[in-house]
């Protein structure tokens, strides 16, 4: 119990599994160690009984470390390189190899061979991790712990360091069975989908104690995704001269930080054998970050940076190689890299600037918000007419100007609430105390300025509480760690092009223009210019909207569209 309870000595990889081991250790003494029928090793002192099969030979991992010295094929019908016969492997020989006992005096195996075999065992043992099914925790795996503790009672360093257990495998959410016609072997899957697509779906099936779901659609999706990615990489490499070099701009730095962050997160998942989570961060989220960077560069009419995009390609191949090795080795060779990607060093992750990550996230959120506001404004003038015979509704003016209101800090009463909430927030669990609302009400009664705004305080606290439980302590900050206006101003062209409004092109201008500028192009397309200006709350804002100003908060600007 002491061994499995010490995370430095034993890792169950799952708190549920660890609880199962502790529970099993409490009752396993009631398990019968032998029986009179069935498979098993006969008891030397009473051959009428056999050792219970689930508890028999649970130190076979020790044999794995020396098996290649003793047998040349799987079933042992061919002797190993030293010609050692089974009858030569006496108890004294095994004690010398496994327990560091004195050299056997009556063994016919040369001592230098025995020493070589013992060195092999000492190199590989103890077991770092044993992967097995969750149904074996209550018998075979716990018995394995007991046997190691008994045989190496004087050397706990030989006891297993970790057992990883998983659930059963389903196919498309259903139990796999021949009667249902969905029984698949790895050979069947590899023949139909290929080895890498099969491995991709296995990684995405799940790693925990719940049953894994092997989805055939995931196999098909993997083939399409890998083919698309291969074509994109080849195109980028062939058109290298079109990539930009030199100093990194804001969006280059954001993407570089995103990569470093995801490299670290993926490594932590792989270390815990959480392949699905690692696949999602090291492949899906990695590509989402690339797609966003590519989109920003395209809409900003700025080529992608050579060093940035090549770092993406190479680092993703390394991170993805444990899951789809054949694809990654092929692409690694295409890039002209030396050696195998499977033994290439893990990508270097620079120190992550989280304020830069948040600035990039801020840009994406504002873009979505701006698009929604413009779409809503455009559709306002397309309302259906009223009742039959009624006077036609006055046409709604099309918005020609936009003001974006930014603020660096919350109002005083909101700051008081944030400071109070910060003192109660648990960063590790991302949770507030169960009696949070009760404590908040008590705090309100002690502060007259808050008492006058009780309803607003309760609503604001409820909103921030949900944000903090999702995003962490950053949701409780009083000020933004980046210049919002600078981020938006430096990405004007991207903001403009990302609106994707039908029939118009939107431009942002520094100067003050009035109305829409109309330009007749040779192919009869009307280009409309929307004037957008950024203001911090507190600045002199001509024609500002007081209600919109009140809704602006740090990191969440308010957008006011109007026609003067």
């Amino acid at each position: 119990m002491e061994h499995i309870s010490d995370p430095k000595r034993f890792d169950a990889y799952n708190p549920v599994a660890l609880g199962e081991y502790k529970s099993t250790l409490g009752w396993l003494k009631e398990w019968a160690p032998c029986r009179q029928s069935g498979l098993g090793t006969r008891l030397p002192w009473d051959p009428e009984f056999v050792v219970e099969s689930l508890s028999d030979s649970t130190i076979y991992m020790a044999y794995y470390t020396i098996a290649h010295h003793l047998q040349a094929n799987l079933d042992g019908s061919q002797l190993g390189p030293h010609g050692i016969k089974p009858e030569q492997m006496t108890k004294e020989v095994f004690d010398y190899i496994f327990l560091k006992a004195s050299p056997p005096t009556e063994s016919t195996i040369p001592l230098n061979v025995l020493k070589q075999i013992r060195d092999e065992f000492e190199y590989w043992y103890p077991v770092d991790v044993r992967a097995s099914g969750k149904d074996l925790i209550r018998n075979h795996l716990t018995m394995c712990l007991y046997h190691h503790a008994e045989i190496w009672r004087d050397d706990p360093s030989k006891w297993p360091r970790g057992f990883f257990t998983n659930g059963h495998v389903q196919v498309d959410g259903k139990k796999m069975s021949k009667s249902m016609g969905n029984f698949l072997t790895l050979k069947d899957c590899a023949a139909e989908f290929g080895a890498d697509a099969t491995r991709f779906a296995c990684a995405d099936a799940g790693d925990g104690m719940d049953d894994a779901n092997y989805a055939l659609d995931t196999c098909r999706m993997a083939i399409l995704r890998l083919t698309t990615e291969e074509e994109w990489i080849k195109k980028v490499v062939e058109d290298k001269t079109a990539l930009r070099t030199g100093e990194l701009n804001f969006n280059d730095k954001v993407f570089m930080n995103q990569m470093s962050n995801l490299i670290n997160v993926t490594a932590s998942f792989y270390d815990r054998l959480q392949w699905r989570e690692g696949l999602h961060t090291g492949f899906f989220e990695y590509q989402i970050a690339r797609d966003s960077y590519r989109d920003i560069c395209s809409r900003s009419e700025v080529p992608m940076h050579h060093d940035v995009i090549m770092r993406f390609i190479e680092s993703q191949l390394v991170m993805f190689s444990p899951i789809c090795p054949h694809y990654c080795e092929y692409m690694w060779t295409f890039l002209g890299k030396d050696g195998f990607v499977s033994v290439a060093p893990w990508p270097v992750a620079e120190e992550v600037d989280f304020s830069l990550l948040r600035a990039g996230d801020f840009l994406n959120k504002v873009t979505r918000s701006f698009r929604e506001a413009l779409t809503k404004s455009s559709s306002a003038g397309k309302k259906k007419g009223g009742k039959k015979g009624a006077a036609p509704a006055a046409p709604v003016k099309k918005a020609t100007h936009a003001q974006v209101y930014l603020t660096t800090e919350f109002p005083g009463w909101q700051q008081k609430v944030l400071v109070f909430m910060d003192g109660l927030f648990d960063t590790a669990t991302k949770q507030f105390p169960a009696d949070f609302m009760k404590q908040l009400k008590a705090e309100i009664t002690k502060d007259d300025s808050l008492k006058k705004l009780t309803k607003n305080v309760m609503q604001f606290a409820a909103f921030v509480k949900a944000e903090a439980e999702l995003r962490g302590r950053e949701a409780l900050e009083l000020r933004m760690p980046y210049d919002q206006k600078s981020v938006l101003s430096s990405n004007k062209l991207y903001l403009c092009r990302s609106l994707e409004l039908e029939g118009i092109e939107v431009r942002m201008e520094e100067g003050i223009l009035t109305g829409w500028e109309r330009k007749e192009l040779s192919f009869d397309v009307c280009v409309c210019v929307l004037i957008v200006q950024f203001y911090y709350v507190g600045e002199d804002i001509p024609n500002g909207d007081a209600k919109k100003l009140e809704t602006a908060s740090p990191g969440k600007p308010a957008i006011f569209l109007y026609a003067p």
Side-chain angles (χ1 to χ4, degrees), residues 51-116:
V51 177
E52 199 283 320
S53 57
L54 282 173
S55 62
D56 190 17
S57 301
T58 55
I59 63 162
Y60 49 81
M61 308 86 163
Y63 183 76
Y64 290 166
T65 65
I66 64 172
H68 56 291
H69 289 283
L70 306 178
Q71 56 192 69
N73 59 352
L74 189 61
D75 63 9
S77 58
Q78 298 178 20
L79 300 181
H82 310 295
I84 300 174
K85 298 179 180 178
E87 55 269 22
Q88 292 179 278
M89 296 299 294
T90 62
K91 179 180 181 301
E92 290 73 20
V93 169
F94 276 117
D95 286 349
Y96 173 79
I97 295 171
F98 291 150
L99 303 181
K100 298 181 179 179
S102 300
T105 56
E106 298 181 2
S107 176
T108 55
I109 304 173
L111 185 59
N112 67 311
V113 173
L114 290 179
K115 186 177 184 305
Q116 182 182 349

Side-chain angles (χ1 to χ4, degrees), residues 142-397:
T142 305
M143 293 166 184
C144 176
L145 291 169
Y146 269 123
H147 283 186
H148 278 82
E150 173 59 24
I151 293 175
W152 285 279
R153 67 179 72 176
D154 299 324
D155 188 4
S157 68
K158 295 294 191 295
W159 298 3
R161 291 179 178 173
F163 288 159
F164 181 88
T165 48
N166 52 262
H168 302 100
V169 179
Q170 297 180 330
V171 174
D172 289 338
K174 298 178 181 179
K175 181 179 179 181
M176 187 164 56
S177 66
K178 291 183 178 179
S179 61
M180 294 181 65
N182 66 344
F183 187 85
L184 295 170
T185 65
L186 286 176
K187 186 176 181 179
D188 295 333
C189 296
E192 182 172 356
F193 304 109
D196 278 359
T198 298
R199 293 170 66 96
F200 190 108
C202 284
D204 193 51
D207 313 297
M209 297 282 282
D210 295 331
D211 291 343
N213 181 40
Y214 183 84
L216 300 183
D217 280 346
T218 302
C219 293
R220 301 182 185 100
M221 177 271 289
I223 295 172
L224 180 60
R225 290 290 294 259
L226 295 181
T227 302
T228 302
E229 191 67 11
E230 175 189 341
E231 293 173 352
W232 177 79
I233 292 175
K234 288 182 175 180
K235 187 175 186 304
V236 168
V237 173
E238 289 169 1
D239 297 338
K240 269 186 179 181
T241 54
L243 298 175
R244 175 169 46 91
T245 57
E247 187 177 353
L248 302 183
N249 63 25
F250 169 79
N251 293 302
D252 297 331
K253 293 175 183 177
V254 169
F255 185 34
M256 291 288 275
N257 266 264
Q258 289 174 327
M259 285 192 282
S260 291
N261 185 48
L262 289 170
I263 287 169
N264 289 335
V265 174
T266 302
S268 68
F269 284 136
Y270 280 5
D271 287 343
R272 303 294 301 161
L273 303 183
Q274 295 175 326
W275 301 107
R276 178 168 59 184
E277 286 74 10
L279 173 65
H280 284 200
T281 56
F283 183 76
F284 291 115
E285 291 185 30
Y286 216 58
Q287 290 198 355
I288 288 173
R290 184 275 314 273
D291 292 345
S292 176
Y293 171 71
R294 182 172 57 182
D295 180 61
I296 290 174
C297 289
S298 174
R299 293 179 189 275
S300 301
E301 299 181 2
V302 175
M304 295 184 293
H305 196 285
H306 174 275
D307 296 347
V308 173
I309 210 64
M310 290 309 297
R311 183 198 184 202
F312 165 82
I313 293 172
E314 294 175 12
S315 59
Q316 183 175 242
L317 289 176
V318 175
M319 290 194 294
F320 195 43
S321 62
I323 296 174
C324 293
H326 307 88
Y327 165 81
C328 293
E329 293 293 356
Y330 169 74
M331 296 308 302
W332 192 253
T333 301
F334 171 78
L335 294 178
K337 309 295 288 186
D338 295 329
F340 293 101
V341 68
S342 56
V343 294
W346 186 257
V348 175
E350 304 295 337
E351 184 177 354
V352 179
D353 183 349
F354 288 98
S355 64
L356 195 57
L357 289 182
R358 292 176 60 187
D361 186 54
F362 166 75
L363 174 62
N364 291 330
K365 289 180 178 178
V366 168
T367 304
R368 288 195 298 270
S369 177
F370 198 11
R371 183 184 298 123
E372 291 167 2
L374 268 171
T375 302
K376 185 177 179 180
S377 174
S378 299
S379 62
K382 301 178 182 178
K383 294 181 179 179
K384 295 181 179 179
K387 293 182 180 179
K388 189 175 181 180
V396 178
K397 280 189 175 183

Side-chain angles (χ1 to χ4, degrees), residues 434-466:
D435 63 343
F436 166 72
M437 297 307 291
K438 181 179 179 181
Q439 293 191 48
L440 177 61
K441 290 177 181 178
E443 183 69 16
I444 292 173
T445 59
K446 293 186 293 185
D447 191 315
D448 291 337
S449 64
L450 296 180
K451 193 184 299 183
K452 296 175 183 178
L453 301 168
T454 298
K455 183 179 179 180
N456 292 338
V457 169
M458 298 300 287
Q459 290 176 343
F460 177 69
F463 170 76
V464 173
K465 180 175 181 291

